[in-house]
Structures are given as structure tokens and as C-alpha cells.
Amino acid sequence: MALKFGVLALVEAKPGKEQDVWEFVSGAREIVMNEPETKTWYGFHVNENTFGIFDTFETEEGRQAHLGGAIPAALGEHGPELLAKDPDIRLVEVIAVK
């Protein structure tokens, strides 16, 4: 398995919405379980109001399928009420994996 493609998304919760964002990120795991092209997926908490998701893919097509899927759609729908600013979403090239 050659994981060459990744997505790093960082989001900042609005004051008082930290628990809601925590639940959104943890709940996204159930959605991504139905994405066979998403090979690894991590939801994480950085600090008081910053959360993130990092996932990897073998192909660019798999990454694009994820970006057009349910989690980004849910972020678009619920982001304005939960997030202090637009998500910081970065497409990354994975250069080493253990």
C-alpha cells in the first residue's frame, strides 16, 4: 500500500461550540468508514478550540472522491454555526510512512 496523497484539515470552534465540534469530528469516523478509498483517517484535538482531521489515500482519485463526499458536505452545512472561521484544508503529499 503506497499512501502518497493526504488531506489535512484544521478547524477552529466558535467560543462555546468546542464540545459540538468535538462531537462532529468524532462522529465523522462513522461516515468515513464507508469510504473504501480513504485508507487512514484521524480526528484529533490540538488545543482548546482547534481540531483537525488527517486522512490518506493511495490515489488522487481516492482523495478527490473523499473531498466530494459527506464529511466536506457536512462541514459546509454545519460550519457556519460551529466554526470561528473557514476550515484550513490542505492537500498534502505524503513522503514517508511507517
Side-chain angles (χ1 to χ4, degrees):
M1 178 167 59
L3 301 174
K4 295 182 178 182
F5 304 91
V7 175
L8 173 63
L10 296 173
V11 297
E12 183 179 324
K14 284 183 176 178
K17 296 291 185 176
E18 296 85 1
Q19 184 62 38
D20 294 328
V21 175
W22 180 291
E23 291 169 8
F24 177 89
V25 171
S26 67
R29 181 184 179 277
E30 293 304 315
I31 296 169
V32 81
M33 294 300 288
N34 296 314
E35 295 182 0
E37 298 301 313
T38 303
K39 300 304 179 184
T40 64
W41 184 92
Y42 303 89
F44 56 91
H45 184 218
V46 177
N47 60 34
E48 181 180 328
N49 62 344
T50 305
F51 299 82
I53 294 173
F54 178 71
D55 28 33
T56 61
F57 313 86
E58 292 178 335
T59 66
E60 178 62 27
E61 293 79 15
R63 176 165 62 182
Q64 290 303 315
H66 173 75
L67 290 170
I71 294 174
L75 262 177
E77 180 181 345
H78 300 289
E81 72 183 64
L82 298 176
L83 305 179
K85 59 185 179 181
D86 288 341
D88 179 5
I89 299 174
R90 299 178 186 208
L91 304 184
V92 300
E93 179 181 0
V94 178
I95 57 174
V97 177
K98 177 183 176 198

